[in-house]
């Protein structure tokens, strides 16, 4: 996350920067996690409404197809569930580093478990 976004995100454990190029090069085992462990992400305004950049749209709003969510609806529709989510443990939560659209798609399709790769925070720093 280059831009930390609102303080709310930092308070929820998204208080770090990630080198995504380094992240995707790591070869770590893929395991499974109950999707219920990750649904809390849907309450957070991670995204922006169409034509804005204000961190003003939650995944729940996209799932419910509210006005201004078409761009993210398309991203969810196009998300490839063959790739695991990238997550880490931080502040007693499992923040999704990469794969929030995949998480939303899996939820919409009724998945109970999701594949993920677990990262240690120290391996992700720039």
């Amino acid at each position: 996350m280059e831009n930390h976004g609102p303080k709310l995100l930092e308070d929820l454990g998204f208080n770090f920067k990630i080198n995504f190029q380094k992240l995707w090069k790591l070869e770590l085992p893929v395991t499974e996690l109950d999707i219920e462990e990750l649904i809390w992400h849907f309450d957070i305004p991670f995204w922006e409404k169409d034509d804005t950049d204000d961190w003003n749209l939650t995944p729940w709003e996209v799932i419910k197809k509210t006005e201004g969510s078409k761009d993210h609806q398309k991203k969810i529709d196009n998300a490839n569930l063959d790739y695991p989510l990238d997550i880490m443990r931080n502040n007693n939560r499992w923040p999704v580093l990469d794969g929030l659209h995949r998480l939303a798609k899996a939820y919409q399709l009724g998945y109970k478990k999701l594949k993920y790769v677990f990262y240690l925070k120290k391996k992700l720093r720039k």
Side-chain angles (χ1 to χ4, degrees):
M1 298 181 143
E2 287 299 319
N3 180 352
H4 287 287
K7 184 171 180 349
L8 170 66
L9 293 183
E10 291 184 35
D11 293 345
L12 290 169
F14 294 91
N15 54 354
F16 49 84
K17 289 186 178 181
I18 300 169
N19 180 332
F20 281 97
Q21 299 307 316
K22 189 175 180 181
L23 172 84
W24 295 323
K25 288 180 183 175
L26 295 173
E27 293 187 25
L28 297 171
V30 176
T31 51
E32 285 191 338
L33 181 69
D34 288 336
I35 198 169
E36 291 298 320
E37 294 282 335
L38 303 172
I39 297 302
W40 63 271
H41 288 82
F42 294 173
D43 295 324
I44 314 302
F46 285 106
W47 298 328
E48 65 290 331
K49 290 184 181 176
D50 302 341
D51 302 321
T52 70
D53 60 359
D54 296 338
W55 301 81
N56 56 7
L57 185 68
T58 67
W60 281 129
E61 291 172 299
V62 178
I63 290 167
K64 294 175 184 174
K65 300 183 178 185
T66 62
E67 185 177 336
S69 68
K70 287 184 181 180
D71 289 346
H72 286 283
Q73 289 173 31
K74 288 177 191 173
K75 289 179 181 182
I76 289 171
D77 291 343
N78 293 328
N80 186 341
L81 295 177
D82 291 337
Y83 295 100
L85 302 180
D86 297 305
I87 68 172
M88 64 181 274
R89 190 76 170 158
N90 194 32
N91 293 347
N92 294 317
R93 291 194 180 240
W94 295 98
V96 172
L97 306 175
D98 185 46
L100 195 52
H101 291 97
R102 284 175 273 158
L103 174 60
K105 182 174 186 169
Y107 175 83
Q108 287 178 318
L109 294 175
Y111 282 46
K112 300 295 181 206
K113 293 189 176 280
L114 277 176
K115 293 179 183 176
Y116 74 93
V117 176
F118 176 73
Y119 296 91
L120 297 175
K121 194 173 185 177
K122 65 183 178 183
K123 291 185 177 186
L124 300 175
R125 293 201 174 117
K126 291 188 172 203

